[in-house]
Amino acid sequence: MTNTLFKGECSKVTVQKCMSILQDLEDVIKRTREAGVKTLISVTEEPSEFERVIQLFKSYPDLVAPCFGIHPIQGCGSHDQRSVKIQDLEPALPLFQKYRDDIVAVGEIGLDFTPWYAPTSQEREEQLTVFTKQLQISKDLDLPVNIHSRSAAKVTIATLKEQGITCALLHNFAGKPSVAMEGVQAGYFFSFPPAVCRNDQKAKLIKQIPLEHICLETDSPALGPEKHVRNEPKNISLVCEYIAHVKGITPQMVIHATTDNALRLFPKIKRLE
């Protein structure tokens, strides 16, 4: 998942990957609610996850906000990861229309030019094609986008601007601060997962991005506070505290700002008042 909204000790909204296949789902949901999380924005990576995230939404309509998207790397979590192809998007196209009233964003989409995933110009061009087609879908549906960008930060932000995208969340952004500021100037938001607490590599980036452009995320089950340990939405509080520490402000200020940011970014979420 990507973003979490939370009250009290946490933010109100968190983003994460689709978690419908967890054996201990009920326990995860219970811990999420106990942490004060009010909304889970649950993103997808492959077409097979679309119906599952809708089922998750129907099971927990007061908590889960579903998103549809085809990730630039397919087979995530397996040993057969590869760059996305246009054929991966085609079966998903009817589902965007079928569930247009339920989804709150298009994501997780984007570009991943990591050499071992996309070593050829043809693979990178095909990623761009899949990306831009989904950006067009987001415009047709009037929805924000949740963006993955790895080894492609500058191209990703340039493509968003070229396609006229005004509402975007760049999750776990790993580009240079100067490139991030191009996104800030375009009105985009940036989110960071609990993994930032492990080291200070992103402290400079977090310092430079204005709080008005920051959201919180867990990216569960990945990118948790401990390597090789499954991440959960309840860990959103750790990101909040880390950002507060880096910026020299109180966690409560981060809570209020990031919750307001998430509500502006995802206007279809109306239950957080």
Side-chain angles (χ1 to χ4, degrees):
M1 298 188 177
T2 301
N3 266 353
T4 301
L5 291 175
F6 66 136
K7 275 185 179 177
E9 297 179 355
C10 300
S11 166
K12 287 183 184 174
V13 182
T14 188
V15 182
Q16 64 176 44
K17 300 295 193 298
C18 178
M19 60 180 186
S20 62
I21 58 174
L22 296 181
Q23 297 299 315
D24 59 342
L25 177 59
E26 287 290 344
D27 292 335
V28 172
I29 292 294
K30 182 174 183 291
R31 289 190 289 270
T32 297
R33 294 188 191 277
E34 290 173 348
V37 174
K38 298 300 180 183
T39 296
L40 298 176
I41 297 175
S42 188
V43 302
T44 63
E45 296 180 339
E46 301 180 5
S48 62
E49 297 175 338
F50 283 25
E51 296 283 359
R52 293 211 303 267
V53 78
I54 291 297
Q55 291 172 8
L56 192 63
F57 161 61
K58 289 180 178 178
S59 297
Y60 305 97
D62 64 326
L63 182 67
V64 174
C67 309
F68 284 177
I70 304 299
H71 196 277
I73 302 301
Q74 294 294 284
C76 289
S78 74
H79 296 294
D80 301 316
Q81 295 183 0
R82 59 170 176 78
S83 187
V84 71
K85 301 179 183 300
I86 191 64
Q87 293 92 332
D88 297 314
L89 176 62
E90 289 171 351
L93 295 177
L95 297 176
F96 282 102
Q97 295 299 327
K98 180 179 179 180
Y99 294 108
R100 62 184 298 159
D101 293 334
D102 296 322
I103 58 177
V104 303
V106 173
E108 183 174 335
I109 65 175
L111 299 173
D112 193 320
F113 290 171
T114 308
W116 49 88
Y117 290 140
T120 69
S121 59
Q122 180 179 347
E123 286 167 315
R124 294 190 289 271
E125 285 299 321
E126 194 153 19
Q127 278 195 27
L128 269 168
T129 299
V130 173
F131 183 35
T132 55
K133 283 183 179 294
Q134 292 184 96
L135 293 178
Q136 184 59 54
I137 290 171
S138 77
K139 291 193 291 184
D140 293 344
L141 300 181
D142 193 23
L143 291 174
V145 290
N146 179 50
I147 302 297
H148 170 98
S149 170
R150 186 162 51 189
S151 301
K154 198 168 185 66
V155 178
T156 299
I157 289 179
T159 303
L160 289 169
K161 294 198 293 186
E162 288 166 6
Q163 295 298 316
I165 299 299
T166 57
C167 294
L169 175 68
L170 290 103
H171 104 94
N172 192 34
F173 187 76
K176 296 178 180 178
S178 59
V179 178
M181 293 311 295
E182 293 179 24
V184 168
Q185 291 168 8
Y188 303 151
F189 295 86
F190 296 79
S191 61
F192 302 93
V196 297
C197 304
R198 294 186 211 146
N199 57 60
D200 291 326
Q201 287 183 349
K202 293 199 176 165
K204 181 180 178 182
L205 180 62
I206 291 170
K207 276 184 181 178
Q208 190 159 343
I209 297 175
L211 187 58
E212 294 74 21
H213 288 267
I214 291 179
C215 289
L216 307 181
E217 70 165 297
T218 59
D219 201 39
S220 307
L223 301 181
E226 299 177 67
K227 278 188 175 182
H228 312 303
V229 176
R230 187 186 70 179
N231 192 15
E232 290 189 14
K234 68 180 179 67
N235 290 327
I236 197 72
S237 60
L238 301 176
V239 193
C240 175
E241 292 164 2
Y242 181 79
I243 291 173
H245 170 73
V246 168
K247 287 190 168 292
I249 57 179
T250 66
Q252 200 65 31
M253 292 175 67
V254 177
I255 289 170
H256 288 311
T258 56
T259 296
D260 288 345
N261 294 344
L263 291 171
R264 284 191 290 129
L265 178 61
F266 303 105
K268 288 181 74 172
I269 300 174
K270 300 176 181 178
R271 54 178 174 269
L272 300 169
E273 301 173 356

